[in-house]
Amino acid sequence: RGILPIPGSGEQLMDFIYVHDLVRGILLAATGSSAVRQSYFIGSERAYTIEEFGTTVSFVLHANPPVVHLPRPLVYLYGGVSELVGTITRRPVLFNLQKAREGVQGAWICSSEKAGRDFQFRPMVSLYEGLKRTCQWYRTAGWLANDVAPAV
């Protein structure tokens, strides 16, 4: 069902980390003596393109929507129109100009190398497994329809 809208070429790089890995990294930093007065990035060990992320979500949901690459001006236009509709209706929107700006950036990545070196942080949950768990949580919370097939 639907389409998989991809801003621009889909080659923008993003760093995704599962919440349990993030919390574990924060706790390791908070309790590690080597982390005193230090700053850390906690992320995955690799960057994914926005298209890889979208197709992985589709795979987890057992969907095969056609990929539609949206030119940057169209992404901004959609964000602006969506924001305007939200303002007029006084309802929150999922996509606005700020999300449009974020979506067309070349990269949103960080390195956890320092965290790995100082307190042996390594993410344990893959993108696929994290998305699978997230979809299950959404289903349990009633935020995702049960007619969407679960990943196996």
Side-chain angles (χ1 to χ4, degrees):
R1 285 185 289 186
I3 63 167
L4 176 55
I6 302 291
S9 68
E11 295 302 310
Q12 304 91 310
L13 295 174
M14 304 197 85
D15 193 333
F16 298 95
I17 185 165
Y18 187 62
V19 65
H20 292 174
D21 281 339
L22 176 61
V23 170
R24 190 171 48 77
I26 291 169
L27 291 173
L28 285 170
T31 58
S33 60
S34 62
V36 174
R37 298 190 195 284
Q38 296 293 315
S39 298
Y40 296 92
F41 291 108
I42 304 294
S44 65
E45 292 184 322
R46 72 165 283 222
Y48 296 89
T49 67
I50 195 75
E51 189 158 350
E52 283 179 290
F53 176 77
T55 55
T56 303
V57 170
S58 297
F59 185 75
V60 165
L61 294 174
H62 294 282
N64 191 20
V67 174
V68 177
H69 291 270
L70 304 174
R72 287 175 66 130
L74 190 56
V75 174
Y76 283 115
L77 177 64
Y78 179 70
V81 169
S82 178
E83 192 170 303
L84 180 62
V85 168
T87 300
I88 291 169
T89 62
R90 295 186 179 164
R91 296 181 59 100
V93 294
L94 295 176
F95 193 76
N96 58 22
L97 275 174
Q98 182 59 39
K99 293 293 182 194
R101 286 184 197 102
E102 293 170 6
V104 299
Q105 295 305 309
W108 285 96
I109 58 175
C110 64
S111 170
S112 298
E113 186 178 333
K114 183 179 173 185
R117 185 179 60 245
D118 288 1
F119 47 85
Q120 291 71 53
F121 171 78
R122 294 280 180 277
M124 298 171 71
V125 180
S126 69
L127 176 66
Y128 172 80
E129 183 61 30
L131 287 170
K132 187 172 140 182
R133 292 178 189 180
T134 300
C135 287
Q136 183 55 49
W137 186 93
Y138 272 56
R139 219 176 251 106
T140 301
W143 292 3
L144 184 63
N146 283 324
D147 64 341
V148 177
V152 286

